[in-house]
Amino acid sequence: MNNNDAINTLREIKDIMQKSSRFQTISGFSIIIIGIYASIVSVGAWLLMGNHEAYSWMPEWSADYAVNTPGRTWVAIVCAALLVAVSFGTVFLMSYFKTKRVNQRFAFDHTVRRCLFHFFVPAVTGGLVCLALLMQGHYGLTSTFMLVFYGLALINCAHYTTSDIAILGYGELILGIIDCFVVSQGMLFWFLGFGLWHIIFGICFTLKNRKQ
């Protein structure tokens, strides 16, 4: 065996080890579906909350997306909690079907558990921070913290699944940072971050994997 063969063999071994230590069966369609779920929930929450005033410098059409009252914010939080539960169910169900389609075994092994652990550490931390903000009557930055901590959770778990998930996380992080500078537009950024950005990323992710 010459040097080139040895290098190629080592690369193949490295690839196999990386794949075996990562949760690789995330379906791009599940990401798109999550975005559709989030879009529907965002519009539904907006309709339930009704209209209220925005600051004079904001566009007139954007006033309806503001979240600045306790009741309206709690409605949004309940919708978000339901969305998370349904979204995780969708991801695991479609991942299960994907593994069956490629004749692989789907198991809740250490790889999946490690991925979930690194996702939930920042996600649960962000949830507790948001709950503390709500209890103290600070409603304006709730959507910001949700987007920022969700983005950090995606970036954190990307080391244990497909690395493209980090791109989704960075997008959520950027939207969250922008949101904290735009007063009372939480529902709009919910729609952009959890809805539209998921759909766009899911389509790109699906097309990329089809070409490979």
Side-chain angles (χ1 to χ4, degrees):
M1 179 181 295
N2 56 39
N3 290 336
N4 290 333
D5 291 337
I7 292 173
N8 290 333
T9 301
L10 290 174
R11 286 176 179 173
E12 291 177 359
I13 294 173
K14 181 180 177 181
D15 291 339
I16 293 173
M17 292 180 65
Q18 287 180 340
K19 290 180 179 179
S20 64
S21 62
R22 288 173 176 255
F23 179 55
Q24 297 282 352
T25 56
I26 293 179
S27 169
F29 287 110
S30 67
I31 300 174
I32 297 172
I33 293 174
I34 290 173
I36 295 173
Y37 288 162
S39 299
I40 294 172
V41 169
S42 298
V43 173
W46 164 57
L47 293 174
L48 287 172
M49 292 173 187
N51 300 335
H52 45 79
E53 294 182 359
Y55 291 88
S56 57
W57 58 271
M58 295 180 181
E60 182 179 354
W61 61 268
S62 69
D64 296 339
Y65 288 93
V67 179
N68 57 8
T69 64
R72 289 169 175 168
T73 302
W74 277 108
V75 170
I77 295 300
V78 171
C79 291
L82 293 174
L83 175 63
V84 170
V86 174
S87 297
F88 266 97
T90 300
V91 169
F92 277 96
L93 185 62
M94 297 195 71
S95 295
Y96 172 80
F97 286 126
K98 183 176 180 179
T99 57
K100 294 299 181 182
R101 189 169 61 250
V102 296
N103 295 321
Q104 294 181 358
R105 186 176 66 90
F106 182 83
F108 195 74
D109 55 14
H110 72 282
T111 301
V112 178
R113 291 194 297 270
R114 185 170 56 178
C115 179
L116 290 176
F117 174 80
H118 285 85
F119 175 86
F120 276 113
V121 167
V124 172
T125 302
L128 293 175
V129 170
C130 291
L131 180 60
L133 289 173
L134 291 172
M135 293 177 65
Q136 298 175 43
H138 303 299
Y139 308 107
L141 292 177
T142 304
S143 59
T144 294
F145 279 103
M146 287 183 178
L147 287 167
V148 167
F149 277 98
Y150 177 59
L152 292 174
L154 290 172
I155 295 170
N156 199 37
C157 76
H159 299 289
Y160 305 97
T161 182
T162 173
S163 58
D164 291 334
I165 292 298
I167 299 174
L168 179 62
Y170 287 122
E172 303 290 352
L173 196 60
I174 291 170
L175 285 170
I177 293 173
I178 296 173
D179 183 26
C180 71
F181 290 98
V182 181
V183 181
S184 299
Q185 298 300 304
M187 288 308 304
L188 175 59
F189 280 91
W190 265 24
F191 173 78
L192 294 176
F194 296 116
L196 184 61
W197 177 228
H198 270 86
I199 294 172
I200 294 173
F201 175 82
I203 292 173
C204 295
F205 182 79
T206 302
L207 293 176
K208 177 185 175 180
N209 288 339
R210 282 188 174 182
K211 292 179 180 180
Q212 293 179 348

